[in-house]
Amino acid sequence: MNRAAVRRSALAIGVALLSFSVAKAALAGDVASPMVRIAELEIDPAQIEAYKTILAEEQEASVRLEPGVLMLHSVAIADHPAHIRLLEVYASQSAYEAHIKAPHFVKYKTSTEKMVKSLKLLPTTPILLCAKSKGRAGGPITCM
């Protein structure tokens, strides 16, 4: 499977989990506000490819294994490929707290510790989060 297909599959899985998590929370009466934040990282340019591989493994595992991890998106700044930005969406604060204790996250943190030159975590207040259920293929839109 090529990288584009993997990305589309990961996006579709993330949207499906988002829809499932929102529906599950509504049924359980636990309509906690999602926790959304942006992480700004600067990575050692000599280690950027290794970092991206480890990050991709962690993101995929987090979304696949943790019901409270609704979305994890990573991008590199176009003119500065060692400047990474993450958009993190968790079902709640407690979901985030469970995430940072998960074995795949702990492995990511220890594996990349010497690669990360700086890390800034920006808490946010979500306004509206929307996604297409089938990624680029369209499908119903889920917003929260």
Side-chain angles (χ1 to χ4, degrees), residues 42-75:
E42 184 179 350
I43 308 303
D44 174 4
Q47 301 185 69
I48 190 66
E49 292 307 316
Y51 174 82
K52 290 190 311 189
T53 298
I54 295 166
L55 174 63
E57 290 172 7
E58 191 281 326
Q59 279 186 261
E60 188 280 330
S62 294
V63 173
R64 180 172 40 85
L65 297 172
E66 298 179 62
V69 177
L70 304 181
M71 287 184 259
L72 293 175
H73 299 289
S74 57
V75 297

Side-chain angles (χ1 to χ4, degrees), residues 6-140:
V6 170
R7 285 187 190 125
R8 283 191 302 274
S9 295
L11 178 60
I13 290 167
V15 170
L17 284 171
L18 170 62
S19 299
F20 173 75
S21 295
V22 169
K24 182 178 175 185
L27 288 174
D30 176 22
V31 191
S33 295
M35 180 194 162
V36 180
R37 96 168 162 200
I38 297 168
E40 297 180 342
L41 297 99
E42 184 179 350
I43 308 303
D44 174 4
Q47 301 185 69
I48 190 66
E49 292 307 316
Y51 174 82
K52 290 190 311 189
T53 298
I54 295 166
L55 174 63
E57 290 172 7
E58 191 281 326
Q59 279 186 261
E60 188 280 330
S62 294
V63 173
R64 180 172 40 85
L65 297 172
E66 298 179 62
V69 177
L70 304 181
M71 287 184 259
L72 293 175
H73 299 289
S74 57
V75 297
I77 304 300
D79 293 337
H80 303 281
H83 292 203
I84 306 295
R85 301 298 182 262
L86 307 175
L87 174 63
E88 307 174 20
V89 182
Y90 304 95
S92 63
Q93 178 69 33
S94 60
Y96 166 73
E97 291 167 10
H99 168 68
I100 61 174
K101 295 175 185 169
H104 47 271
F105 181 78
V106 172
K107 177 183 174 189
Y108 157 79
K109 287 298 279 187
T110 57
S111 299
T112 62
E113 185 175 35
K114 293 187 171 131
M115 299 174 180
V116 177
K117 294 172 66 176
S118 69
L119 168 63
K120 183 175 181 182
L121 302 175
L122 304 171
T124 70
T125 302
I127 298 170
L128 185 64
L129 305 169
C130 294
K132 293 179 181 173
S133 62
K134 295 182 182 177
R136 291 181 189 192

